[in-house]
Amino acid sequence: MIKKTLDEKAFQLLKEKMEQGLFPQWVLTDPDIYELEIDKIFGHTWQFLAHETELKDSGSYVTRWMVNDPVLLVKNRKGEIKGYLNSCTHRGTQLCTADHGNKKNFTCPYHGWSYNLDGELIGIVAGNKVYGEEMDKSEWGLREIPQVASYQGMIFGCLDPAAMPLEEYLGDMKWYFDILLGRSDGGMEVRGLPQRWVAKANWKATAENFAADPYHVQTTHRSTVELGISPEDPLYAGYGHQIVTENGHGINVITSKTGKARVPYQGTPDSMWPMFKKNLTPEQDEILSGVTVFVGGVYPNLSFVSPIHGTEGHLHNYLNFRMWRPIGPEKVEVWCWFLIDKAAPEEYKEAAYRGYLGSFGPTGTLEQDDTETWARIVEVSKGLMMRDKELNYNNVSNYLMGFDRVEPDESFPGPGIAYPTTYLDAISRSMHENWFKLISKDLFVKEAVK
Ligand code: FES
Ligand code: FE
Protein backbone atom coordinates (compact mmCIF):
# COMPACT_ATOMS: atom_id res chain seq x y z
CA MET A 1 0.00 0.00 0.00
CA ILE A 2 1.32 3.46 -0.89
CA LYS A 3 1.13 5.71 2.15
CA LYS A 4 -0.27 9.16 1.63
CA THR A 5 2.94 10.91 2.67
CA LEU A 6 5.82 12.45 0.83
CA ASP A 7 8.67 10.57 2.47
CA GLU A 8 11.42 9.02 0.37
CA LYS A 9 10.07 5.51 0.75
CA ALA A 10 6.68 6.56 -0.58
CA PHE A 11 8.37 8.21 -3.53
CA GLN A 12 10.39 5.10 -4.33
CA LEU A 13 7.17 3.12 -4.26
CA LEU A 14 5.49 5.68 -6.47
CA LYS A 15 8.41 5.46 -8.91
CA GLU A 16 8.16 1.68 -9.07
CA LYS A 17 4.44 1.83 -9.71
CA MET A 18 4.84 4.43 -12.42
CA GLU A 19 7.50 2.38 -14.18
CA GLN A 20 4.87 -0.35 -14.44
CA GLY A 21 2.41 2.12 -15.96
CA LEU A 22 0.40 2.44 -12.74
CA PHE A 23 -0.55 5.85 -11.36
CA PRO A 24 -1.90 5.97 -7.78
CA GLN A 25 -5.22 7.81 -7.74
CA TRP A 26 -4.60 9.77 -4.50
CA VAL A 27 -1.86 11.65 -6.33
CA LEU A 28 -4.50 13.44 -8.42
CA THR A 29 -5.93 15.59 -5.63
CA ASP A 30 -3.45 15.37 -2.75
CA PRO A 31 -2.81 18.88 -1.28
CA ASP A 32 0.88 18.19 -0.50
CA ILE A 33 1.51 16.92 -4.00
CA TYR A 34 -0.26 20.01 -5.32
CA GLU A 35 2.13 22.31 -3.43
CA LEU A 36 5.08 20.42 -4.89
CA GLU A 37 3.62 20.77 -8.40
CA ILE A 38 3.23 24.54 -8.07
CA ASP A 39 6.83 24.93 -7.01
CA LYS A 40 8.63 22.29 -9.05
CA ILE A 41 6.56 22.12 -12.21
CA PHE A 42 4.94 25.53 -12.66
CA GLY A 43 7.96 27.35 -11.21
CA HIS A 44 10.27 25.98 -13.92
CA THR A 45 8.34 25.24 -17.11
CA TRP A 46 7.08 27.49 -19.91
CA GLN A 47 3.44 28.49 -19.67
CA PHE A 48 1.25 29.97 -22.38
CA LEU A 49 0.23 33.60 -21.87
CA ALA A 50 -1.27 35.08 -25.03
CA HIS A 51 -1.17 35.29 -28.81
CA GLU A 52 0.59 38.26 -30.38
CA THR A 53 -2.62 39.42 -32.13
CA GLU A 54 -4.01 40.23 -28.67
CA LEU A 55 -1.29 42.91 -28.40
CA LYS A 56 -1.59 44.81 -31.65
CA ASP A 57 -0.34 48.34 -30.87
CA SER A 58 2.14 50.10 -28.66
CA GLY A 59 0.49 50.29 -25.22
CA SER A 60 -1.73 47.22 -25.79
CA TYR A 61 -1.82 45.02 -22.73
CA VAL A 62 -3.49 41.91 -21.31
CA THR A 63 -3.47 40.61 -17.74
CA ARG A 64 -2.84 36.90 -17.20
CA TRP A 65 -1.86 34.41 -14.50
CA MET A 66 0.94 31.91 -14.20
CA VAL A 67 -0.85 29.85 -11.52
CA ASN A 68 -0.64 32.36 -8.61
CA ASP A 69 1.66 34.91 -10.22
CA PRO A 70 -0.24 37.83 -11.78
CA VAL A 71 1.21 38.87 -15.15
CA LEU A 72 0.89 42.17 -17.00
CA LEU A 73 1.85 41.60 -20.63
CA VAL A 74 2.51 44.81 -22.55
CA LYS A 75 3.70 45.93 -25.97
CA ASN A 76 6.14 48.80 -25.43
CA ARG A 77 6.95 51.68 -27.79
CA LYS A 78 9.69 49.67 -29.48
CA GLY A 79 7.16 46.94 -30.30
CA GLU A 80 8.67 44.52 -27.78
CA ILE A 81 6.43 42.28 -25.66
CA LYS A 82 7.31 42.71 -21.99
CA GLY A 83 5.99 40.71 -19.05
CA TYR A 84 5.77 42.24 -15.57
CA LEU A 85 4.57 41.00 -12.23
CA ASN A 86 1.19 42.73 -12.00
CA SER A 87 1.78 43.97 -8.47
CA CYS A 88 2.67 47.49 -7.42
CA THR A 89 6.11 47.86 -5.84
CA HIS A 90 4.73 50.21 -3.13
CA ARG A 91 2.25 48.14 -1.09
CA GLY A 92 1.86 45.27 -3.48
CA THR A 93 -1.72 45.60 -4.68
CA GLN A 94 -2.68 44.37 -8.14
CA LEU A 95 -1.56 47.19 -10.40
CA CYS A 96 -3.70 46.71 -13.51
CA THR A 97 -7.16 45.32 -12.80
CA ALA A 98 -8.58 45.25 -16.34
CA ASP A 99 -8.35 42.15 -18.55
CA HIS A 100 -7.06 44.05 -21.57
CA GLY A 101 -6.79 47.51 -23.07
CA ASN A 102 -4.36 50.15 -24.22
CA LYS A 103 -2.50 52.59 -21.98
CA LYS A 104 0.42 55.00 -22.10
CA ASN A 105 1.26 54.15 -18.52
CA PHE A 106 -0.20 52.25 -15.56
CA THR A 107 -1.36 54.07 -12.43
CA CYS A 108 -1.86 52.12 -9.25
CA PRO A 109 -5.39 52.38 -7.82
CA TYR A 110 -4.11 52.43 -4.20
CA HIS A 111 -1.77 55.48 -3.81
CA GLY A 112 -1.35 56.47 -7.44
CA TRP A 113 2.23 55.45 -8.32
CA SER A 114 2.66 55.30 -12.11
CA TYR A 115 4.77 53.06 -14.33
CA ASN A 116 5.55 53.39 -18.05
CA LEU A 117 5.39 50.64 -20.70
CA ASP A 118 8.95 49.63 -19.79
CA GLY A 119 7.94 49.02 -16.19
CA GLU A 120 9.83 52.07 -14.88
CA LEU A 121 8.37 53.99 -11.98
CA ILE A 122 7.74 57.45 -13.43
CA GLY A 123 5.36 59.15 -11.02
CA ILE A 124 4.76 59.29 -7.28
CA VAL A 125 1.85 61.32 -5.94
CA ALA A 126 3.30 64.28 -3.98
CA GLY A 127 6.66 62.53 -4.36
CA ASN A 128 8.92 65.41 -3.36
CA LYS A 129 6.93 66.18 -0.25
CA VAL A 130 6.39 62.63 0.92
CA TYR A 131 9.74 61.07 0.00
CA GLY A 132 12.06 64.04 -0.49
CA GLU A 133 15.20 63.81 -2.60
CA GLU A 134 16.42 60.44 -1.33
CA MET A 135 13.85 58.35 -3.15
CA ASP A 136 15.50 56.78 -6.21
CA LYS A 137 12.64 55.90 -8.49
CA SER A 138 14.86 53.75 -10.71
CA GLU A 139 15.04 51.17 -7.89
CA TRP A 140 11.27 50.75 -7.71
CA GLY A 141 10.24 49.65 -11.19
CA LEU A 142 8.02 46.65 -11.82
CA ARG A 143 9.52 43.17 -11.46
CA GLU A 144 9.96 41.51 -14.87
CA ILE A 145 8.80 37.97 -15.58
CA PRO A 146 12.17 36.16 -15.81
CA GLN A 147 11.63 34.81 -19.33
CA VAL A 148 9.10 35.79 -22.02
CA ALA A 149 9.43 34.40 -25.55
CA SER A 150 7.23 33.52 -28.48
CA TYR A 151 6.97 30.95 -31.23
CA GLN A 152 4.65 31.33 -34.25
CA GLY A 153 2.92 34.19 -32.45
CA MET A 154 2.28 32.21 -29.26
CA ILE A 155 3.73 34.05 -26.26
CA PHE A 156 4.95 32.02 -23.31
CA GLY A 157 6.45 32.96 -19.96
CA CYS A 158 8.73 31.12 -17.55
CA LEU A 159 9.42 31.96 -13.90
CA ASP A 160 12.82 30.26 -13.90
CA PRO A 161 15.58 32.44 -15.40
CA ALA A 162 17.77 29.35 -15.79
CA ALA A 163 15.20 27.24 -17.64
CA MET A 164 16.03 26.14 -21.19
CA PRO A 165 14.95 28.53 -23.99
CA LEU A 166 11.36 28.22 -25.25
CA GLU A 167 12.28 26.79 -28.65
CA GLU A 168 14.41 24.08 -27.06
CA TYR A 169 11.58 23.32 -24.63
CA LEU A 170 9.03 22.97 -27.44
CA GLY A 171 11.44 20.74 -29.40
CA ASP A 172 9.74 18.69 -32.13
CA MET A 173 6.38 20.24 -31.26
CA LYS A 174 7.54 23.28 -33.23
CA TRP A 175 7.23 21.25 -36.45
CA TYR A 176 3.54 20.63 -35.69
CA PHE A 177 2.99 24.25 -34.57
CA ASP A 178 4.35 25.30 -37.97
CA ILE A 179 1.40 23.39 -39.51
CA LEU A 180 -1.21 24.69 -37.07
CA LEU A 181 -0.02 28.29 -36.84
CA GLY A 182 2.30 28.91 -39.77
CA ARG A 183 0.34 27.47 -42.70
CA SER A 184 -1.29 30.77 -43.73
CA ASP A 185 0.20 34.09 -44.82
CA GLY A 186 0.03 36.39 -41.81
CA GLY A 187 -0.38 33.42 -39.44
CA MET A 188 -3.36 33.05 -37.12
CA GLU A 189 -5.37 35.63 -35.21
CA VAL A 190 -7.37 35.50 -32.03
CA ARG A 191 -11.05 36.32 -32.52
CA GLY A 192 -12.98 37.65 -29.55
CA LEU A 193 -11.53 37.53 -26.07
CA PRO A 194 -10.31 34.38 -24.38
CA GLN A 195 -13.28 32.97 -22.50
CA ARG A 196 -12.63 31.70 -19.01
CA TRP A 197 -14.48 29.80 -16.36
CA VAL A 198 -13.79 27.65 -13.31
CA ALA A 199 -14.23 23.89 -13.44
CA LYS A 200 -14.10 21.33 -10.66
CA ALA A 201 -11.14 19.35 -11.92
CA ASN A 202 -7.48 18.62 -11.39
CA TRP A 203 -5.13 20.15 -13.95
CA LYS A 204 -3.41 16.82 -14.64
CA ALA A 205 -6.71 15.24 -15.66
CA THR A 206 -7.80 18.12 -17.91
CA ALA A 207 -4.39 18.36 -19.60
CA GLU A 208 -4.35 14.61 -20.18
CA ASN A 209 -7.92 14.57 -21.46
CA PHE A 210 -6.99 16.89 -24.31
CA ALA A 211 -3.37 16.03 -25.00
CA ALA A 212 -3.49 12.29 -24.73
CA ASP A 213 -6.96 10.78 -24.72
CA PRO A 214 -8.91 10.43 -27.99
CA TYR A 215 -10.12 7.11 -26.50
CA HIS A 216 -12.74 8.96 -24.39
CA VAL A 217 -14.39 10.56 -27.41
CA GLN A 218 -16.53 7.60 -28.50
CA THR A 219 -18.15 7.29 -25.05
CA THR A 220 -18.06 10.72 -23.38
CA HIS A 221 -19.24 12.45 -26.55
CA ARG A 222 -21.64 9.70 -27.55
CA SER A 223 -24.34 12.32 -28.18
CA THR A 224 -22.47 13.43 -31.33
CA VAL A 225 -22.88 9.90 -32.69
CA GLU A 226 -26.58 9.92 -31.80
CA LEU A 227 -26.99 13.26 -33.57
CA GLY A 228 -25.33 11.80 -36.66
CA ILE A 229 -22.31 14.14 -36.47
CA SER A 230 -19.79 11.41 -35.61
CA PRO A 231 -19.57 7.86 -37.04
CA GLU A 232 -21.00 4.79 -35.25
CA ASP A 233 -17.63 3.00 -35.45
CA PRO A 234 -16.26 2.98 -31.85
CA LEU A 235 -12.72 3.21 -33.25
CA TYR A 236 -13.46 6.39 -35.19
CA ALA A 237 -11.31 8.67 -33.03
CA GLY A 238 -8.52 6.09 -32.95
CA TYR A 239 -7.44 6.20 -36.59
CA GLY A 240 -4.28 8.11 -37.30
CA HIS A 241 -1.17 8.58 -35.17
CA GLN A 242 -0.31 9.49 -31.60
CA ILE A 243 3.03 11.26 -31.49
CA VAL A 244 5.17 11.64 -28.38
CA THR A 245 7.68 14.48 -28.41
CA GLU A 246 10.09 15.80 -25.75
CA ASN A 247 9.34 17.21 -22.28
CA GLY A 248 5.85 15.67 -21.92
CA HIS A 249 4.41 17.24 -25.09
CA GLY A 250 2.44 15.29 -27.67
CA ILE A 251 -0.05 15.47 -30.52
CA ASN A 252 -2.70 13.19 -32.02
CA VAL A 253 -3.17 13.34 -35.79
CA ILE A 254 -6.60 11.78 -36.21
CA THR A 255 -7.67 10.72 -39.70
CA SER A 256 -10.55 8.83 -41.25
CA LYS A 257 -10.54 5.01 -41.21
CA THR A 258 -8.88 4.79 -44.62
CA GLY A 259 -6.15 7.25 -43.62
CA LYS A 260 -7.36 9.40 -46.50
CA ALA A 261 -8.91 12.82 -46.01
CA ARG A 262 -12.55 12.99 -44.94
CA VAL A 263 -12.46 16.37 -46.64
CA PRO A 264 -9.16 17.90 -47.82
CA TYR A 265 -7.48 20.44 -45.56
CA GLN A 266 -10.12 20.17 -42.84
CA GLY A 267 -12.90 21.84 -44.81
CA THR A 268 -11.03 25.11 -45.34
CA PRO A 269 -11.89 27.03 -48.57
CA ASP A 270 -10.04 25.53 -51.54
CA SER A 271 -8.74 29.01 -52.40
CA MET A 272 -6.47 28.66 -49.34
CA TRP A 273 -4.88 25.34 -50.26
CA PRO A 274 -2.12 26.67 -52.58
CA MET A 275 -1.10 29.02 -49.74
CA PHE A 276 -0.84 26.08 -47.32
CA LYS A 277 1.32 24.18 -49.83
CA LYS A 278 3.56 27.23 -50.27
CA ASN A 279 4.10 27.72 -46.53
CA LEU A 280 4.56 24.07 -45.52
CA THR A 281 7.09 21.36 -46.33
CA PRO A 282 5.76 18.45 -48.45
CA GLU A 283 5.64 16.30 -45.29
CA GLN A 284 3.66 18.91 -43.35
CA ASP A 285 1.34 19.39 -46.33
CA GLU A 286 0.76 15.62 -46.54
CA ILE A 287 -0.38 15.60 -42.91
CA LEU A 288 -2.55 18.73 -43.12
CA SER A 289 -4.29 17.66 -46.33
CA GLY A 290 -5.42 14.36 -44.79
CA VAL A 291 -6.09 15.09 -41.11
CA THR A 292 -9.53 15.21 -39.51
CA VAL A 293 -8.54 16.48 -36.04
CA PHE A 294 -5.29 17.62 -34.47
CA VAL A 295 -5.42 17.47 -30.68
CA GLY A 296 -2.50 17.68 -28.30
CA GLY A 297 -0.67 19.51 -25.57
CA VAL A 298 2.43 21.35 -24.44
CA TYR A 299 3.39 20.27 -20.94
CA PRO A 300 2.31 21.19 -18.35
CA ASN A 301 -0.94 23.05 -18.99
CA LEU A 302 -1.52 24.12 -22.58
CA SER A 303 -3.83 22.05 -24.79
CA PHE A 304 -5.01 22.60 -28.33
CA VAL A 305 -7.55 21.14 -30.72
CA SER A 306 -8.05 21.81 -34.42
CA PRO A 307 -11.16 19.96 -35.65
CA ILE A 308 -13.40 19.80 -38.69
CA HIS A 309 -16.75 21.18 -37.62
CA GLY A 310 -20.18 21.48 -39.20
CA THR A 311 -22.20 19.46 -41.66
CA GLU A 312 -21.47 18.61 -45.27
CA GLY A 313 -21.39 21.72 -47.39
CA HIS A 314 -20.82 23.96 -44.33
CA LEU A 315 -17.61 22.58 -42.96
CA HIS A 316 -15.00 24.71 -41.28
CA ASN A 317 -11.93 24.43 -39.17
CA TYR A 318 -10.57 26.48 -36.28
CA LEU A 319 -7.86 26.27 -33.69
CA ASN A 320 -8.72 26.27 -30.01
CA PHE A 321 -5.97 26.86 -27.47
CA ARG A 322 -6.75 26.32 -23.82
CA MET A 323 -4.71 26.85 -20.72
CA TRP A 324 -5.53 24.99 -17.52
CA ARG A 325 -4.63 27.30 -14.65
CA PRO A 326 -4.57 25.33 -11.39
CA ILE A 327 -6.34 27.21 -8.59
CA GLY A 328 -6.21 24.35 -6.09
CA PRO A 329 -5.88 20.57 -6.27
CA GLU A 330 -9.54 20.28 -7.24
CA LYS A 331 -10.10 23.38 -9.37
CA VAL A 332 -8.90 24.79 -12.64
CA GLU A 333 -9.56 28.10 -14.26
CA VAL A 334 -9.98 27.28 -17.94
CA TRP A 335 -8.75 29.91 -20.43
CA CYS A 336 -10.00 29.29 -23.93
CA TRP A 337 -8.86 31.03 -27.15
CA PHE A 338 -10.35 30.83 -30.63
CA LEU A 339 -7.83 31.23 -33.44
CA ILE A 340 -8.39 31.35 -37.17
CA ASP A 341 -6.24 31.93 -40.25
CA LYS A 342 -5.84 35.66 -40.74
CA ALA A 343 -5.99 35.08 -44.51
CA ALA A 344 -9.37 33.25 -44.41
CA PRO A 345 -12.48 34.93 -45.91
CA GLU A 346 -14.40 36.97 -43.33
CA GLU A 347 -17.67 34.99 -43.62
CA TYR A 348 -15.74 31.75 -43.13
CA LYS A 349 -14.12 33.13 -39.97
CA GLU A 350 -17.50 34.11 -38.58
CA ALA A 351 -19.05 30.70 -39.33
CA ALA A 352 -16.08 28.94 -37.75
CA TYR A 353 -16.40 31.13 -34.63
CA ARG A 354 -20.07 30.22 -34.24
CA GLY A 355 -19.16 26.55 -34.66
CA TYR A 356 -16.54 26.88 -31.93
CA LEU A 357 -19.00 28.48 -29.50
CA GLY A 358 -21.41 25.59 -30.01
CA SER A 359 -18.79 22.88 -29.43
CA PHE A 360 -16.00 24.06 -27.10
CA GLY A 361 -16.14 26.99 -24.71
CA PRO A 362 -18.35 27.23 -21.62
CA THR A 363 -21.63 26.78 -23.49
CA GLY A 364 -20.38 24.16 -25.95
CA THR A 365 -21.94 20.71 -25.95
CA LEU A 366 -18.61 18.87 -26.03
CA GLU A 367 -17.30 20.96 -23.15
CA GLN A 368 -20.20 20.01 -20.88
CA ASP A 369 -19.54 16.31 -21.44
CA ASP A 370 -15.90 16.57 -20.38
CA THR A 371 -16.52 18.93 -17.45
CA GLU A 372 -18.86 16.47 -15.78
CA THR A 373 -16.33 13.64 -15.97
CA TRP A 374 -13.49 15.80 -14.60
CA ALA A 375 -15.63 16.75 -11.58
CA ARG A 376 -16.45 13.11 -10.89
CA ILE A 377 -12.78 12.17 -10.92
CA VAL A 378 -11.90 14.67 -8.17
CA GLU A 379 -15.01 13.83 -6.17
CA VAL A 380 -14.00 10.18 -5.82
CA SER A 381 -10.23 10.53 -5.48
CA LYS A 382 -9.98 11.49 -1.78
CA GLY A 383 -11.31 8.30 -0.21
CA LEU A 384 -9.22 6.07 2.04
CA MET A 385 -9.35 3.21 -0.42
CA MET A 386 -7.89 5.47 -3.13
CA ARG A 387 -4.52 5.32 -1.33
CA ASP A 388 -3.74 1.95 -2.84
CA LYS A 389 -5.90 2.13 -5.94
CA GLU A 390 -3.95 2.60 -9.14
CA LEU A 391 -4.92 3.85 -12.56
CA ASN A 392 -3.87 1.88 -15.61
CA TYR A 393 -1.51 3.50 -18.11
CA ASN A 394 -0.29 0.25 -19.59
CA ASN A 395 -1.59 0.69 -23.07
CA VAL A 396 1.80 1.66 -24.55
CA SER A 397 3.53 -0.66 -26.98
CA ASN A 398 1.30 -3.34 -25.57
CA TYR A 399 -1.46 -5.37 -27.08
CA LEU A 400 -4.25 -3.09 -28.11
CA MET A 401 -7.72 -4.52 -27.82
CA GLY A 402 -6.54 -7.92 -29.02
CA PHE A 403 -4.86 -6.59 -32.14
CA ASP A 404 -1.20 -6.64 -32.98
CA ARG A 405 1.43 -5.17 -30.73
CA VAL A 406 1.67 -1.42 -31.29
CA GLU A 407 5.12 -0.34 -32.39
CA PRO A 408 6.20 3.10 -33.62
CA ASP A 409 5.49 3.73 -37.30
CA GLU A 410 8.80 4.65 -38.88
CA SER A 411 7.08 5.74 -42.10
CA PHE A 412 5.19 8.62 -40.42
CA PRO A 413 6.42 11.84 -42.07
CA GLY A 414 6.68 13.98 -38.91
CA PRO A 415 9.19 14.07 -36.02
CA GLY A 416 8.72 12.42 -32.62
CA ILE A 417 7.76 8.82 -31.81
CA ALA A 418 4.62 8.15 -33.88
CA TYR A 419 2.34 5.24 -33.00
CA PRO A 420 -0.19 4.11 -35.63
CA THR A 421 -3.28 4.64 -33.46
CA THR A 422 -4.50 7.31 -31.06
CA TYR A 423 -6.21 4.90 -28.65
CA LEU A 424 -2.99 4.66 -26.73
CA ASP A 425 -1.43 5.78 -23.43
CA ALA A 426 1.89 6.82 -24.95
CA ILE A 427 1.45 10.58 -24.42
CA SER A 428 -0.19 10.06 -21.01
CA ARG A 429 2.77 7.96 -19.88
CA SER A 430 5.20 10.56 -21.14
CA MET A 431 3.27 13.33 -19.30
CA HIS A 432 3.21 11.37 -16.04
CA GLU A 433 6.88 10.38 -16.31
CA ASN A 434 7.73 14.02 -16.84
CA TRP A 435 5.50 14.95 -13.90
CA PHE A 436 7.39 12.56 -11.63
CA LYS A 437 10.79 13.66 -12.90
CA LEU A 438 9.95 17.30 -12.19
CA ILE A 439 8.31 16.94 -8.77
CA SER A 440 11.01 14.60 -7.43
CA LYS A 441 13.93 16.76 -8.63
CA ASP A 442 16.22 17.59 -5.69
CA LEU A 443 13.57 16.31 -3.30
CA PHE A 444 15.76 13.89 -1.39
CA VAL A 445 19.18 15.26 -2.20
CA LYS A 446 20.15 15.82 1.46
CA GLU A 447 19.17 12.32 2.49
CA ALA A 448 21.08 10.84 -0.42
CA VAL A 449 24.30 12.66 0.52
CA LYS A 450 24.30 11.43 4.14
FE1 FES B 1 0.47 51.00 -5.43
FE2 FES B 1 0.59 52.17 -3.08
S1 FES B 1 0.19 50.07 -3.49
S2 FES B 1 0.80 53.05 -5.02
FE1 FE C 1 -13.71 15.48 -24.68
Side-chain angles (χ1 to χ4, degrees), residues 209 216 221 370:
N209 172 274
H216 82 280
H221 305 299
D370 290 318

Side-chain angles (χ1 to χ4, degrees), residues 183 261 263-268 273 276-277 285 288-291 317:
R183 65 193 191 180
V263 288
Y265 295 99
Q266 297 188 292
T268 49
W273 302 351
F276 296 157
K277 274 192 188 301
D285 181 63
L288 180 62
S289 61
V291 69
N317 163 250

